[in-house]
Amino acid sequence: MRESPSPDDVGLTTGTLARRLGVAPTTLRSWDRRYGLGPVERDGGRHRRWRPDDVAVVEAMCRLTSAGVPPAEAARAARAGADTPPRTAGAPSGRSRAAGALPLGADVRQECRGLARAAVRLDAPAVEELLAEAVERHGLPVAWEEVMVPALHAVGRKWESSGDRYVEVEHLLSWHVSTTLRRVTGPPAAGRRAEGAGPVVLACVPGEQHTLPLEALNAALLERGTATRMFGAAVPAEALAAAVGRLGPVAVVLWAQARSTASPALARQVADMRWGVSGARRGPTVVLGGPGWAGRSARGLPRPTGLKEALTLLSGG
C-alpha cells in the first residue's frame, strides 16, 4: 500500500497556512497581489497550494513586518531568503535625524515601533504601507488602539517636550492615519439601521479640533454597516442641534479632547431633544468620547473608554 502524501508534499491551502502563521487569509492574498509572495506552483484548480519553499518566504515576511520593517522592503528581503532587509545606496539609515527616539513603552507592538521610526524619518511611503498592513492583519479596532494610537501619542509627547521640532512628524503621521481610516470603508454608504432609527451622528464639541478618534469610530461603524453622519471638528452648538433635529439620529457621539472644551450643558441639551409624533417621540443616546469628559458632571450619559467599547455600544460589536 502506498503511504498517504504528507501536507508538505500536497501543499497547504491558504486558510491552513494563515492559521499556522496567525494572519488573515486576506493578508496572504494581499502579499501575493502586491509583492508576488504567492505559491510558485499552481495546481490548475481553484485552490492554491503552498509548498515548503513558499511557506519559508511568507514566514520570513511575517518576522520582518513584525519587527517593523516596511512591507515592500520586507518582501524584497523575504524573496531573497534574508531575515534582515537589504540596504541600498542612499536609503535612509532608519535612525531619526531628530534628537532622540520616540517615547514608546516596552510593551507596544513591533508594528507600532516600525510606524514611529518611519514617521520620524518622514518616510511617507513606508508609513502608508505600515498602516495599511496593520489594518489588514489585525483589523481596524486593534490597528487603531495598539498601533496607531501609541505612535500618535509618542509623537505628541515628543512634540510637547521638544518645542516645534517634531510638528512635521505629527502632521505627516496624522495625515496618513486619516487617509488610511477613510480608505478602510470607501465612500459613505446608507448602512444598516433599525426600522425608523436615524444614523449615528459624530461631532467634535465647539472649539475641539482633534478629529482622528472620531474618524476611527466612523470608519469602524461603516465597516460594520452602521449608518453614520460625520461632522468633524468644532461643530457650533446651533449647527449640531439643527443637524440632530433634521436627522433624528439613534445616537450622537460628542468628542472632547480637552476638559476646557467639554460641555455637559451641550450634552444634556442634545440628550433632551425629541422628535416624532405625539405618543411615539424619540430622542438620541448621547455618547461622550474623549479624555475631556473625565471629571465632568454628565450623569446617565455613557462614556466608553476605547474604540472597541464604543463599537459594542453603538453597533452591538
Side-chain angles (χ1 to χ4, degrees):
M1 295 178 61
R2 291 192 306 171
E3 294 183 358
S4 299
S6 70
D8 284 347
D9 293 332
V10 176
L12 301 176
T13 65
T14 296
T16 300
L17 179 57
R19 287 191 294 273
R20 175 184 289 189
L21 297 174
V23 302
T26 53
T27 297
L28 294 180
R29 298 188 187 103
S30 173
W31 286 350
D32 187 9
R33 185 177 66 253
R34 293 181 183 178
Y35 312 119
L37 300 187
V40 174
E41 298 179 6
R42 311 292 174 115
D43 61 10
R46 296 179 58 192
H47 300 290
R48 302 178 300 168
R49 296 286 177 172
W50 299 75
R51 310 294 180 182
D53 288 347
D54 305 322
V55 173
V57 172
V58 293
E59 286 177 339
M61 180 72 169
C62 287
R63 288 192 293 271
L64 289 163
T65 55
S66 294
V69 179
E73 190 176 352
R76 288 192 294 271
R79 286 197 302 268
D83 273 342
T84 56
R87 291 224 174 268
T88 56
S93 67
R95 295 181 60 85
S96 169
R97 292 186 179 182
L102 294 179
L104 289 166
D107 57 347
V108 299
R109 288 183 177 270
Q110 288 298 322
E111 296 97 326
C112 179
R113 295 185 184 282
L115 177 62
R117 288 195 294 268
V120 170
R121 295 196 309 265
L122 302 182
D123 187 346
V127 169
E128 193 88 1
E129 287 191 55
L130 288 165
L131 288 169
E133 190 74 23
V135 172
E136 191 166 38
R137 172 177 285 194
H138 301 296
L140 180 56
V142 172
W144 168 252
E145 293 188 336
E146 299 184 23
V147 179
M148 300 180 195
V149 168
L152 287 163
H153 284 176
V155 172
R157 289 194 296 271
K158 196 68 175 180
W159 179 10
E160 290 176 357
S161 65
S162 305
D164 289 336
R165 292 166 62 190
Y166 280 77
V167 64
E168 74 283 1
V169 177
E170 194 274 341
H171 281 222
L172 180 135
L173 181 57
S174 296
W175 169 260
H176 286 287
V177 167
S178 179
T179 300
T180 298
L181 293 172
R182 296 190 188 199
R183 284 177 178 165
V184 169
T185 53
R192 297 189 304 272
R193 58 189 182 188
E195 185 66 28
V200 175
V201 165
L202 302 102
C204 289
V205 296
E208 182 56 69
Q209 299 292 332
H210 291 79
T211 64
L212 281 180
L214 274 189
E215 293 179 45
L217 178 56
N218 183 64
L221 288 171
L222 288 174
E223 191 176 46
R224 286 156 178 73
T226 300
T228 68
R229 296 294 184 273
M230 172 66 164
F231 289 96
V235 181
E238 298 82 1
L240 176 63
V244 170
R246 291 172 61 187
L247 292 168
V250 65
V252 178
V253 181
L254 297 177
W255 183 267
Q257 184 75 16
R259 182 180 171 86
S260 60
T261 62
S263 172
L266 175 61
R268 184 57 59 193
Q269 175 189 345
V270 175
D272 288 342
M273 294 183 68
R274 295 292 181 269
W275 49 81
V277 297
S278 178
R281 294 177 67 77
R282 299 188 304 273
T285 297
V286 173
V287 178
L288 307 179
W293 296 104
R296 307 292 280 174
S297 177
R299 188 175 304 172
L301 302 183
R303 191 166 73 87
T305 58
L307 178 58
K308 294 176 184 177
E309 188 177 336
L311 286 175
T312 299
L313 177 64
L314 294 166
S315 67

